Amino acid sequence: MKHLVWPLICVLLAVLPARARAQPQIAPLADRLSHGTLRWGGDAEGGAPFQVRDPERPDRVIGFEVELVEALAERLSQRIGRAVHAQFVQYEWVSLIPGLQKGDFDLIASGLEITPEARAAVRFSRPYYVYQEELIVRADERRIRTLDDCRQSPVGTMAGTAAERLLTRAGVRQITSFDGQVEPFLDLELGRVDAVVLDTPITAYYAYTNPKLRSAGTVGEPGHYGLAFRQDDSGLTDAIDDELSALMTSGRLAEIYRRWHLLNAAQAGLAAPPQRAAELAGLGFDPQTLALGPAPDTAPPPVDINIIAASAQSWTFRDYAPTLISAAGMTVLLSAASMAFAMLLGLLVCSAGLYGPKIVRGLALAYVEIFRGIPLLMLLFFLYFGLASYGLQLPAVATAILGLGMNYAAYEAQIYRTSLLNVPRGQWEAGRSLGMADTTVFFRVILPQAMRMAAGPMTNDFVALFKETSLVSVIAVHELTKEYLILARSSLKFVELGLLTAALYLAMSIPLGYLSRYLEQRWHGGNA
């Protein structure tokens, strides 16, 4: 036995420091995830296969990134010995990086391309998917075979993507960029553009399933999707990198991609040292990156690649109406609270502008000019993301009410001002002659008359405010228009869903018109 002592000691000396190194990594990670959730940001408006509404349950989000993050949360649970649940946070795609930096979620999983520009803003995990750009044309198109053939033709793509940058570098002169991934294919089918260039996961679901379209081949170099973290969140990033490797070697990642029709030869490029051989094997490739064989019999059933058509076929009024009505409730809340705030603030600004000292009148005038002159969208961005960089964190709904209220207060102040000035000055003198103080005259004599005159224009502003609430989706407030876009892009039922959404807006705004006319008639003795 003596000859085994020294080898055992050597093994212990080698293992103990490694355990000592690993333990401190787990403790901070456990603290980091002590709330028991891994919050991740994405945009279900993006559609299949990333995040899309379930054909069987329109209120539920599914997608290969949903399953990927859930698998990572399971791995993290095993790592820290405590349950960690993946929690999806709906966010506007263009606002994902500001939302991550603000701390609204822990990571982004939404087809974010790893580029030098993006690396400057966020810390990326190792790649989790290899995509290529693909050129899609109409089935009867014979003129366009390569990207060079597109230089004088209108080509559709998504704004701010690698595909758009590729088209620009290729010298394509007529690039039509959309916010969503559905619209380019609709325009191609309608003949408004001659070709579409987008990532292969997108074309698999929106081009291959459409017999009127076909692929003209891949273009450009392969790119990578990565999970994005805050720059200072190295602990979570490193842990996710380890678990991504574990998902590869265990075959779980290949299982998810096979289920979503995304496993192809390009995914061999995900494997990297020091576990390259094991990761390749788990992904279904040999060390020479050749595919090892068909899927095992135990593999879960694949999703329907015609998932969009399935949603269009299965969703009925009873399925999607509750979701839209629920979102309409948020629209009503935002509109009512914002208008109440705008009316109060507008009255203060108006009173300051008419009756305050000179400097106060100047400040009131400046308020009206500034908030009436700047775009509401910019104001919302400043309040939600700009103030957060100075340590002032406002909840999303409160920010929406504050931004809408401050903007509309400028308009309401002008309405009040015009109405107050239209009250005959004799009313002031009559009140004073009765011994009333100016304050009493204002609140009991002048203001009631002014409010009657202001009722009509204020109602018009209230109706306009209902529509303006659609802008607040950029700061992660889920309202009616955003819900309509998500459902419509998940099913292509733009008309049916659009009619119901329009009906909901009308149901909210038409009663206001009747209320306005009723008040005018009542206050003017039926002579309005």
Side-chain angles (χ1 to χ4, degrees):
M1 291 293 292
K2 287 184 178 178
H3 66 283
L4 295 175
V5 172
W6 279 109
L8 284 172
I9 292 174
C10 291
V11 169
L12 287 172
L13 288 174
V15 169
L16 286 176
R19 290 178 61 84
R21 285 193 303 272
Q23 195 62 35
Q25 292 174 353
I26 292 176
L29 182 64
D31 289 341
R32 174 73 175 75
L33 300 171
S34 59
H35 41 68
T37 56
L38 182 66
R39 290 168 56 84
W40 63 284
D43 188 358
E45 190 182 334
F50 306 96
Q51 298 121 39
V52 65
R53 291 296 174 91
D54 190 340
E56 298 178 0
R57 278 187 52 192
D59 61 335
R60 192 166 77 104
V61 178
I62 60 174
F64 86 95
E65 288 173 331
V66 177
E67 295 184 14
L68 171 63
V69 179
E70 287 176 349
L72 289 169
E74 288 177 16
R75 294 286 316 176
L76 291 173
S77 299
Q78 297 170 12
R79 183 172 181 144
I80 65 174
R82 187 189 308 155
V84 176
H85 303 285
Q87 181 180 351
F88 174 65
V89 179
Q90 169 60 43
Y91 229 82
E92 190 83 358
W93 196 83
V94 297
S95 303
L96 279 171
I97 290 180
L100 174 70
Q101 293 168 336
K102 185 175 179 290
D104 284 353
F105 39 82
D106 300 310
L107 64 103
I108 299 171
S110 195
L112 203 61
E113 299 152 347
I114 301 177
T115 63
E117 296 81 7
R119 279 188 186 280
V122 298
R123 175 188 290 269
F124 275 107
S125 69
R126 61 180 297 179
Y128 69 85
Y129 193 80
V130 182
Y131 69 88
Q132 289 187 290
E133 303 301 347
E134 190 164 19
L135 180 63
I136 304 296
V137 296
R138 285 183 288 277
D140 58 354
E141 174 64 59
R142 297 291 177 268
R143 182 174 52 87
I144 297 177
R145 294 184 173 83
T146 68
L147 204 54
D148 290 338
D149 299 329
C150 299
R151 287 181 178 166
Q152 305 300 325
S153 302
V155 181
T157 187
M158 282 182 68
T161 60
E164 186 185 46
R165 293 189 291 274
L166 174 66
L167 290 170
T168 302
R169 289 197 303 272
V172 176
R173 296 183 178 179
Q174 301 179 54
I175 302 173
T176 305
S177 299
F178 297 86
D179 290 334
Q181 60 190 34
V182 176
E183 292 84 348
F185 297 105
L186 293 177
D187 263 19
L188 177 61
E189 192 176 336
L190 294 171
R192 293 172 180 158
V193 296
D194 290 338
V196 168
V197 174
L198 277 173
D199 301 356
T200 43
I202 301 172
T203 58
Y205 281 79
Y206 293 92
Y208 290 6
T209 56
N210 188 340
K212 296 179 181 178
L213 309 178
R214 68 176 176 85
S215 170
T218 58
V219 293
E221 298 295 322
H224 302 88
Y225 296 144
L227 303 171
F229 301 82
R230 286 182 287 279
Q231 292 283 15
D232 59 354
D233 204 358
S234 59
L236 184 58
T237 312
D238 293 344
I240 291 292
D241 280 347
D242 291 344
E243 302 310 339
L244 276 172
S245 177
L247 291 180
M248 288 186 213
T249 55
S250 66
R252 180 74 180 277
L253 194 66
E255 183 181 289
I256 294 171
Y257 291 168
R258 190 179 292 111
R259 175 173 147 73
W260 283 90
H261 312 279
L262 298 173
L263 187 62
N264 51 39
Q267 304 318 310
L270 292 173
Q275 301 290 329
R276 184 173 183 276
E279 290 175 0
L280 279 172
L283 289 167
F285 301 96
D286 67 12
Q288 285 72 45
T289 70
L290 297 175
L292 292 174
D297 295 336
T298 56
V303 299
D304 183 0
I305 198 167
N306 291 294
I307 190 170
I308 306 300
S311 297
Q313 189 173 13
S314 63
W315 287 1
T316 63
F317 180 85
R318 293 178 58 184
D319 295 317
Y320 54 72
T323 307
L324 284 174
I325 292 171
S326 175
M330 175 57 74
T331 297
V332 171
L333 170 67
L334 291 174
S335 302
S338 301
M339 194 63 194
F341 178 52
M343 290 170 62
L344 179 60
L345 183 59
L347 183 59
L348 292 174
V349 172
C350 170
S351 301
L354 283 177
Y355 311 118
K358 186 175 181 180
I359 187 169
V360 175
R361 293 202 301 271
L363 290 173
L365 178 61
Y367 180 93
V368 170
E369 295 301 329
I370 291 172
F371 285 94
R372 197 172 54 176
I374 61 175
L376 177 57
L377 192 62
M378 192 181 83
L379 177 62
L380 291 171
F381 260 92
F382 172 78
L383 291 174
Y384 194 62
F385 298 115
L387 293 182
S389 62
Y390 294 98
L392 182 56
Q393 295 265 9
L394 296 174
V397 173
T399 304
I401 293 171
L402 182 64
L404 289 165
M406 291 174 73
N407 182 262
Y408 271 77
Y411 296 99
E412 302 318 300
Q414 290 301 93
I415 292 173
Y416 291 140
R417 182 177 185 277
T418 303
S419 302
L420 287 168
L421 291 176
N422 279 331
V423 177
R425 291 196 60 80
Q427 297 293 310
W428 283 96
E429 295 164 1
R432 288 167 184 153
S433 67
L434 294 173
M436 294 182 182
D438 281 354
T439 306
T440 306
V441 175
F442 177 77
F443 282 108
R444 293 192 177 181
V445 179
I446 305 300
L447 186 59
Q449 297 181 63
M451 291 301 289
R452 293 172 189 172
M453 288 184 273
M458 284 168 54
T459 305
N460 290 334
D461 279 356
F462 200 2
V463 173
L465 185 57
F466 268 105
K467 293 178 285 185
E468 293 274 39
T469 55
S470 62
L471 292 175
V472 303
S473 62
V474 298
I475 57 170
V477 178
H478 201 74
E479 44 69 58
L480 181 55
T481 299
K482 182 66 177 179
E483 186 59 40
Y484 160 70
L485 290 173
I486 291 174
L487 291 174
R489 284 172 172 159
S490 296
S491 64
L492 302 187
K493 301 178 86 165
F494 286 97
V495 175
E496 188 175 323
L497 289 163
L499 289 174
L500 177 56
T501 304
L504 288 171
Y505 273 113
L506 289 174
M508 292 183 282
S509 60
I510 288 178
L512 289 174
Y514 280 105
L515 177 63
S516 172
R517 285 190 285 276
Y518 169 76
L519 291 176
E520 287 178 5
Q521 288 176 353
R522 181 181 174 85
W523 287 340
H524 290 83
N527 297 322

